[in-house]
Amino acid sequence: MAGFRNGRGRDNRPPQHRPQQAPYGYNAAPPPHPQQQWPPQAAQAPQGGGGYGEPEYFGDPHGAQQQQQQHYAANTAGHTQMFSVNDDPYGDSATYHAGAAPVVPTGPRLPWKALLSGIVLRPAPTFLQMRDHAVWGPALVVTFLYGLLAIFGFDRAREEAINATLSTAIPYVLMTGAGFVFGGLILGAVTHTLARQLGGDGSWQPTVGLSMLIMSITDAPRLIFAVFLGGENGLVQVLGWVTWLAAGALFTLMVSRSHDLPWPKALGASAIQLIALLSIIKLGTL
């Protein structure tokens, strides 16, 4: 009984460790929170060198805090942070357009003899080498000479030129030659424009000049026989169709090499010029 009077039978803890209970009807006060213990901070490094126990490459901790404060101040209302949009690590970020960038020449300019023979014997490397060089001299001369003789390939025009007086025939022949030059320029420009619309990147001067040379050179075999046999001769007609197909192959190859286009697009770009040559020269509707 003595043990129960002293309270040792229920709780053997010392009195000072017993939790104090609030009287009935009152809320007990929350126990005090333990104070958070922060790890001891390292000694601040003196300016200009490493601190005690801290390497130099850690930098200045106050410098990082100052940069954060400056960044926050620069983005608050009333402050504008200056920045640059020209720092492009990949160079010029302008949108690329076909033909805008200069094309590196693939070879030196060919002389006119090598150019004319190359169109017939080595068309692919010739067109690739001359894609960056203008060929106005050979194109204008060859097309003009072709126009002077082309009038004799048509039966009606040949009869008119032969029966006319010399003073009348010479201007007529010269006008025909100039007309073929002008027509070759227009058709070559159309071919170049269509090639660019289809995604080509070639220059207009080589395209127009080479198209004029192709038009004149491919029709030369038909024209030679037509001068002597007439345009309605069967052999002349067969040669006309064969040379027209050869012109289509050369036009397609030239546009493909000059504009970096696949052959279906290159053929589509030269389609109008081929149709014009077929209707005007091959079929004799001039």
Side-chain angles (χ1 to χ4, degrees), residues 16-233:
Q16 62 270 19
H17 294 289
R18 297 178 183 177
Q20 298 180 0
Q21 297 181 356
Y24 179 78
Y26 293 92
N27 294 328
H33 296 282
Q35 186 177 1
Q36 185 177 3
Q37 300 294 331
W38 297 94
Q41 298 182 354
Q44 182 178 357
Q47 299 181 358
Y52 302 101
E54 180 182 4
E56 293 184 1
Y57 55 81
F58 281 174
D60 187 5
H62 297 283
Q65 182 180 3
Q66 184 178 3
Q67 290 179 359
Q68 294 178 358
Q69 293 176 357
Q70 292 177 356
H71 176 73
Y72 175 79
N75 289 277
T76 54
H79 296 80
T80 303
Q81 184 178 6
M82 297 179 63
F83 60 94
S84 175
V85 297
N86 295 326
D87 297 335
D88 189 359
Y90 300 100
D92 189 8
S93 59
T95 304
Y96 171 76
H97 299 281
V103 181
V104 179
T106 56
R109 183 194 303 270
L110 293 174
W112 67 272
K113 292 183 180 180
L115 174 62
L116 298 181
S117 62
I119 292 176
V120 178
L121 302 177
R122 301 175 304 275
T126 300
F127 293 146
L128 185 61
Q129 184 172 350
M130 295 300 294
R131 62 166 291 174
D132 308 315
H133 303 289
V135 292
W136 289 124
L140 295 176
V141 173
V142 172
T143 306
F144 182 73
L145 295 177
Y146 166 74
L148 295 179
L149 298 176
I151 191 174
F152 298 98
F154 304 98
D155 294 339
R156 182 180 302 177
R158 182 178 57 181
E159 292 178 359
E160 293 178 358
I162 292 175
N163 296 329
T165 60
L166 187 62
S167 60
T168 305
I170 291 178
Y172 185 65
V173 172
L174 293 178
M175 289 178 60
T176 304
F180 269 85
V181 171
F182 181 75
L185 290 172
I186 297 299
L187 293 176
V190 171
T191 300
H192 168 74
T193 302
L194 291 177
R196 293 298 293 268
Q197 292 294 329
L198 294 175
D201 59 354
S203 302
W204 72 275
Q205 297 185 23
T207 304
V208 175
L210 291 174
S211 66
M212 295 172 65
L213 289 174
I214 293 173
M215 178 188 69
S216 304
I217 292 175
T218 54
D219 195 47
R222 183 202 66 87
L223 181 60
I224 293 175
F225 284 90
V227 170
F228 298 100
L229 301 178
E232 301 298 331
N233 185 271

